Amino acid sequence: MTKVLERDLKKLESRAYHAAEWAEAALRRYHATIPNLQEEDAARLKVLHSWMFVPLTLWPFNIHEMLNDLLAILEQVKRLSPQQCLIIDLLPAPPDENICAAVAEHELHVQSGSYENNVNTQAKFAQAELTIKNDPELQRQWACIKATFNVQAHADYKGVIRRTMDTERNLRPSFSVNLRSRADAFRAAFDAFCLRWHLYGMQHDEPLLLKLAVNITPYGTMIHIPSYWSLDTTRDIRWDAIASLHRVRVTGRQGVALAEGRAERMKLAEKLRQLDQDALRLKLKGEKKHTFLCEGLGWVPETSAKRLSRLRAEFKK
């Protein structure tokens, strides 16, 4: 077990967010448990194990937490429930090594708050940051917030308090405010403060100004342009770098011509299936069958039989 655990941790040692540290206990537990499991349960746990080496950015949910929970269940000699099995069975295959390597590198930049590899932010960001840091009104408002709420209760271990995060299509799960709850009241006050000053949060007494940022999600690539930012699409964004990062997950070529070509091939494949049935009914074989199929598709009889085989294989049902 020691060797396989060391191999697993080596894969994670250069990852962002201290992945090797927090994953070690779960991976050790996994390798100790897996030899004792029934084949079906072991196969499903191996799926989660393989997802442990995918960058967190691409996880659809907390893989680490689920692996720990299921190990606890199986250690008590219980079987996985149909619901638990379904969740694992619905997971796609983990992204390949090229995708993981590109996204893992991107995560290191995100962890440090550095987006300069994809966007050119320094001049506009520095100007706006200098302005707010020297604004007495910001400090006055922050002092009022600290006098009203215990702000340290909302800070992380680095002293950072983050505003409510943006979501796709602005569909915010915690949009309502319960003013009878001090936590909700603080969140509303802090979000309003961050909106006023274009912040993503505070670190101790330092305002954390929003940057023009590029972030990978499990479902796509998000570009966030702060509302204070006067966008110059030519100079501000490194489109080549963003395209390269996004494209690493795209399989195959795309475009209008390719889509139209595929639609036409689908029609031909359906027609070929019908012609194959007709040829079988007519007991055609060899050259006669080939000529019959080509004429039915509007192709010349000299067409290679391999072209017919490729068309069948591409849209095989």
Side-chain angles (χ1 to χ4, degrees):
M1 182 183 83
T2 303
K3 288 186 177 180
V4 291
L5 178 62
E6 288 177 353
R7 185 187 61 204
D8 283 356
L9 295 176
K10 188 173 180 60
K11 293 179 183 178
L12 297 174
E13 64 184 10
S14 62
R15 294 288 181 82
Y17 313 122
H18 312 286
E21 294 179 20
W22 53 255
E24 181 175 356
L27 292 172
R28 186 183 299 277
R29 190 179 186 185
Y30 165 82
H31 288 298
T33 305
I34 200 75
N36 306 317
L37 299 182
Q38 296 187 32
E39 186 176 348
E40 288 186 4
D41 292 334
R44 288 191 168 94
L45 265 290
K46 286 176 181 177
V47 172
L48 293 181
H49 174 257
S50 63
W51 267 92
M52 286 289 290
F53 307 102
V54 175
L56 273 69
T57 293
L58 300 179
W59 286 7
F61 49 77
N62 193 327
I63 299 291
H64 174 252
E65 187 175 67
M66 176 172 281
L67 178 61
N68 260 327
D69 286 348
L70 296 187
L71 283 168
I73 291 170
L74 293 169
E75 284 167 353
Q76 298 174 15
V77 200
K78 294 181 180 179
R79 298 298 308 275
L80 298 182
S81 71
Q83 176 178 293
Q84 293 159 348
C85 291
L86 176 62
I87 294 171
I88 298 173
D89 293 345
L90 288 173
L91 273 173
D96 65 34
E97 290 186 8
N98 289 334
I99 296 173
C100 289
V103 176
E105 182 181 359
H106 173 72
E107 281 187 343
L108 291 171
H109 291 288
V110 173
Q111 182 182 23
S112 65
S114 171
Y115 295 94
E116 286 72 22
N117 59 317
N118 290 314
V119 298
N120 300 313
T121 66
Q122 289 307 305
K124 293 179 180 179
F125 174 80
Q127 177 186 355
E129 186 179 46
L130 182 62
T131 299
I132 65 166
K133 282 190 173 182
N134 291 311
D135 195 311
E137 181 62 12
L138 183 150
Q139 294 302 329
R140 187 192 67 78
Q141 290 184 358
W142 178 234
C144 288
I145 292 174
K146 291 197 297 180
T148 307
F149 300 99
N150 177 16
V151 298
Q152 290 307 311
H154 302 276
D156 66 12
Y157 70 99
K158 294 184 293 185
V160 175
I161 305 172
R162 291 175 175 81
R163 62 163 171 77
T164 302
M165 294 294 102
D166 294 335
T167 55
E168 292 176 75
R169 296 170 56 198
N170 208 26
L171 297 174
R172 290 165 283 184
S174 57
F175 194 58
S176 60
V177 179
N178 176 11
L179 292 178
R180 290 179 294 277
S181 162
R182 287 192 63 79
D184 273 22
F186 168 78
R187 181 56 52 191
F190 191 69
D191 284 351
F193 173 71
C194 289
L195 177 64
R196 168 66 178 82
W197 297 102
H198 309 291
L199 310 179
Y200 79 82
M202 292 286 291
Q203 185 169 26
H204 304 299
D205 292 330
E206 290 293 316
L208 301 173
L209 182 68
L210 281 166
K211 290 184 175 182
L212 198 162
V214 177
N215 287 291
I216 296 295
T217 78
Y219 305 100
T221 303
M222 297 181 70
I223 301 175
H224 185 276
I225 305 169
S227 54
Y228 72 84
W229 196 283
S230 175
L231 182 66
D232 183 328
T233 56
T234 303
R235 295 183 177 88
D236 292 348
I237 298 179
R238 294 183 55 196
W239 292 109
D240 56 340
I242 295 172
S244 178
L245 180 62
H246 178 81
R247 197 181 296 120
V248 74
R249 289 196 284 174
V250 178
T251 56
R253 298 166 59 203
Q254 298 172 2
V256 175
L258 289 168
E260 290 176 349
R262 179 176 173 82
E264 182 61 30
R265 292 196 308 279
M266 287 180 68
K267 291 179 182 178
L268 287 172
E270 182 60 37
K271 192 171 185 180
L272 179 57
R273 276 192 286 270
Q274 185 59 51
L275 289 169
D276 279 335
Q277 293 175 9
D278 293 343
L280 181 64
R281 180 173 50 81
L282 295 171
K283 299 181 180 180
L284 298 178
K285 294 182 180 180
E287 192 64 31
K288 288 185 178 180
K289 177 182 178 181
H290 181 76
T291 301
F292 173 78
L293 296 176
C294 288
E295 289 177 349
L297 294 172
W299 296 352
V300 296
E302 291 77 19
T303 300
S304 170
K306 289 183 179 179
R307 186 178 177 189
L308 293 168
S309 298
R310 287 196 299 268
L311 186 60
R312 291 189 186 98
E314 185 179 4
F315 298 102
K316 185 177 180 180
K317 288 187 176 180

